[in-house]
Amino acid sequence: MLPPEVMPSHEATESRLRQDLGASEESSRELAHLLAAWEAPEASQADTARLVRRLKGEMGQAVVEERQDFTPLAGWLESWWPGMLLKTQARVVRAEIPWASVLVMGLGTLVTVAAWPESGRQPAPGVLPLVLLAPVVAALGVAFLYTPDEDPLVEIEVAAPTPMPLVLLARLALVFGFNLALGLASSLAAAAWLPELSVGALVTAWLAPMAFLTGLAFFLAIAIGGPGISTALCLVLWGWHAARGLTIPAPMGWNFPVLPDLASPAAGPWLWAMAVLLVGAAIGWAGGREARLAPWSGRKYSHED
Amino acid sequence: MQPPSASISDEDLACAVQRGEMSALETLVGRYQSPLLGFLYRAVGSDRPLAEDLVQETFLRMLRSIHQYQYPRPFKRWMYAIALNLARDHYRRAEGKHTYPVVDEEALLESSREEPGFEPQDACLQVEAGQRALAVSRAFTRLPSHQREVILLRYYQELSLHEIGELLSIPVGTVKSRLSLGIQRLQALLAQEDPV
């Protein structure tokens, strides 16, 4: 290697090395020279043109989404910061989720009405299709509100001035609020068709399970990472609960009633408490994110660090 | 529409992209493509095709979540956060397969012979420069990733200590200690490499 006095100068790097490490002029020059040896390629005009072409299609979609958002309601929300937060997060929540929820809940309401016995023993609210669907629809919506591969927490935090736990809470509030409204509308519709059904009994049967299952899906999506496991576990749990309520013979000696009746009013306070705990745990987990966002960093720390 | 001038800030351009202005996106590509290519090229061990793919993915991810960007958050930090996450994903996948990014030695030495104005009499100097580049890049791949990241961001991408701290969600003091330990380790590794 050349002696430091005849090495070409890399003034900016040398100055940074002196400033950061207190390195001497000679050693900073030598080090800057070494670092500069590893040159990186530059993008050519052809590379830039190719990238711009690739981005053009994506840009079109972004503009369409923006124009769809321009409504008087959006204008009002802009002037109120929690509203602005909800609005920005509403853009991030997948558009197909609310549509799928509306479709499933609509079908659930229709089946509930169509399958209602005209005479004889009336089914308990806990086994009605509407009541069985409402919690799982909400949970699946929440499971998809955060996908770590496409939407890492650190990018959310860097892009927005709002603390990231608050951003996640805003998304949760949006999806849960939407499903709550949908559940209420479906219950009102079902009760309007079937005078024997009480709206209060219907709502009591799905509300606490919905809160619990939503909290569970939120926790699993954030702590375990991604919608896949969250969706699967919620479906298994709720499937078990649904099977418990139905008179299906237990396969291979499984005892479905082992699970408590989640739709009973007595389970309500426990389910709400569990929901709050799960959401709190998820937010706490997201708040202490650094070591988990870069687990490889933590793993490679040594006593020298 | 007039192309955005150089005086427009990245943050204003990001707002223009939110409104769907293609020329603003082109300007951002012009400003960030080469720096990101350099960053990702070094972050993935001198693999240019992979770095180019990751640059494209960085811009796509930015564009897909552009509505999440809130003015006046520093745009540069956001772009580097995305690029850094993609580089980390790459390392995570490589670790999962028990294969580590390796330096493409042939390509690296070849590139030093393709410099404009290359003369045969410069051959020795070029070979020496190529071998030095190889030694540095090999030493970087053997650094712990948390130290490699801060050194790349500080001395190649020229981010401030504060920007790096914000980007990695760590205090400035931790950035400095990672730099100091990383540089010490790099020097030790380079001494082992025995560069020309």
Side-chain angles (χ1 to χ4, degrees):
Chain A
M1 188 150 63
L2 295 169
E5 61 274 14
V6 296
M7 283 175 186
S9 171
H10 303 280
E11 193 54 51
T13 312
E14 286 174 35
S15 146
R16 285 198 165 85
L17 285 163
R18 281 197 298 273
Q19 181 196 332
D20 300 343
L21 314 174
S24 69
E25 201 160 313
E26 189 178 310
S27 73
S28 63
R29 172 164 286 212
E30 192 180 322
L31 202 48
H33 180 64
L34 266 176
L35 291 174
W38 190 16
E39 289 177 16
E42 297 232 331
S44 66
Q45 285 189 336
D47 293 333
T48 305
R50 203 167 35 242
L51 179 57
V52 168
R53 270 199 307 277
R54 173 71 184 84
L55 296 175
K56 265 185 179 164
E58 205 72 29
M59 182 79 166
Q61 288 179 8
V63 178
V64 169
E65 284 169 22
E66 172 64 17
R67 287 184 183 154
Q68 282 172 346
D69 281 338
F70 190 74
T71 60
L73 174 66
W76 175 77
L77 286 174
E78 287 283 5
S79 60
W80 182 54
W81 83 262
M84 195 169 73
L85 176 62
L86 291 174
K87 185 173 168 241
T88 55
Q89 294 313 305
R91 289 164 171 162
V92 180
V93 174
R94 293 169 181 225
E96 56 269 35
I97 289 175
W99 290 111
S101 302
V102 169
L103 181 69
V104 174
M105 287 299 288
L107 288 173
T109 308
L110 283 177
V111 173
T112 302
V113 171
W116 188 259
E118 290 191 7
S119 59
R121 190 162 168 262
Q122 291 172 352
V127 296
L128 292 175
L130 171 62
V131 172
L132 290 175
L133 282 173
V136 82
V137 164
L140 297 193
V142 166
F144 281 89
L145 64 72
Y146 168 65
T147 42
D149 288 343
E150 296 167 16
D151 187 25
L153 294 174
V154 72
E155 288 173 27
I156 300 172
E157 187 155 38
V158 171
T162 317
M164 181 252 308
L166 203 56
V167 169
L168 292 175
L169 270 179
R171 290 188 192 180
L172 177 67
L174 275 172
V175 178
F176 185 74
F178 178 80
N179 284 293
L180 186 64
L182 196 58
L184 286 172
S186 303
S187 300
L188 284 170
W193 276 90
L194 304 168
E196 304 91 328
L197 261 180
S198 139
V199 177
L202 263 180
V203 172
T204 308
W206 58 254
L207 185 56
M210 179 192 269
F212 165 68
L213 218 56
T214 300
L216 182 65
F218 186 60
F219 174 76
L220 293 172
I222 290 172
I224 294 183
I229 295 171
S230 175
T231 303
L233 287 177
C234 287
L235 281 174
V236 166
L237 178 68
W238 199 246
W240 191 346
H241 168 76
R244 182 198 183 285
L246 303 171
T247 50
I248 298 175
M252 298 188 300
W254 289 0
N255 190 8
F256 285 119
V258 161
L259 198 71
D261 181 6
L262 300 181
S264 77
W270 294 103
L271 294 176
W272 278 106
M274 287 290 289
V276 170
L277 278 176
L278 286 165
V279 171
I283 293 299
W285 191 96
R289 73 213 173 282
E290 208 255 323
R292 288 176 297 276
L293 283 172
W296 47 93
S297 303
R299 224 173 25 247
K300 288 180 182 167
Y301 283 165
S302 67
H303 64 280
E304 297 168 68
D305 299 324
Chain B
M1 187 184 297
Q2 291 291 317
S5 75
S7 62
I8 297 181
S9 70
D10 293 346
E11 291 72 29
D12 287 324
L13 288 169
C15 291
V17 173
Q18 285 180 327
R19 294 190 298 271
E21 290 179 24
M22 192 63 210
S23 57
L25 180 64
E26 286 176 20
T27 308
L28 284 174
V29 170
R31 284 185 192 178
Y32 280 94
Q33 189 181 18
S34 278
L36 287 175
L37 180 61
F39 173 64
L40 288 163
Y41 173 81
R42 292 186 177 106
V44 299
S46 303
D47 183 340
R48 180 168 182 163
L50 175 62
E52 283 175 339
D53 286 349
L54 293 179
V55 169
Q56 176 175 296
E57 190 54 38
T58 303
F59 277 100
L60 284 171
R61 193 182 273 190
M62 177 274 288
L63 206 47
R64 284 172 191 148
S65 47
I66 188 68
H67 296 310
Q68 190 157 279
Y69 172 76
Q70 287 179 24
Y71 186 87
R73 296 296 275 182
F75 180 79
K76 180 180 179 183
R77 214 183 292 160
W78 187 37
M79 286 300 276
Y80 275 102
I82 297 173
L84 192 62
N85 276 337
L86 289 170
R88 285 173 171 178
D89 287 345
H90 168 74
Y91 269 91
R92 199 161 29 201
R93 279 197 297 273
E95 279 190 81
K97 291 177 193 163
H98 302 288
T99 58
Y100 291 83
V102 290
V103 176
D104 186 347
E105 301 188 4
E106 277 298 311
L108 204 57
L109 289 173
E110 196 59 41
S111 69
S112 68
R113 290 192 279 271
E114 288 170 358
E115 293 292 317
F118 174 76
E119 297 287 339
Q121 61 265 34
D122 296 336
C124 286
L125 285 175
Q126 293 284 352
V127 168
E128 189 185 328
Q131 286 178 337
R132 208 162 43 240
L134 189 59
V136 175
S137 71
R138 268 204 305 245
F140 260 88
T141 60
R142 291 166 64 190
L143 276 181
S145 53
H146 63 283
Q147 292 174 357
R148 181 173 54 235
E149 285 170 1
V150 290
I151 296 175
L152 288 181
L153 291 167
R154 179 69 175 149
Y155 301 120
Y156 288 105
Q157 303 312 121
E158 304 187 347
L159 266 63
S160 71
L161 297 173
H162 178 73
E163 282 177 320
I164 298 171
E166 290 267 313
L167 181 61
L168 301 175
S169 301
I170 53 175
V172 169
T174 308
V175 177
K176 283 185 178 173
S177 70
R178 287 185 186 182
L179 281 173
S180 171
L181 291 163
I183 288 290
Q184 279 175 29
R185 197 169 293 185
L186 187 70
Q187 285 176 311
L189 288 167
L190 284 168
Q192 284 171 20
E193 289 270 349
D194 193 20
V196 182

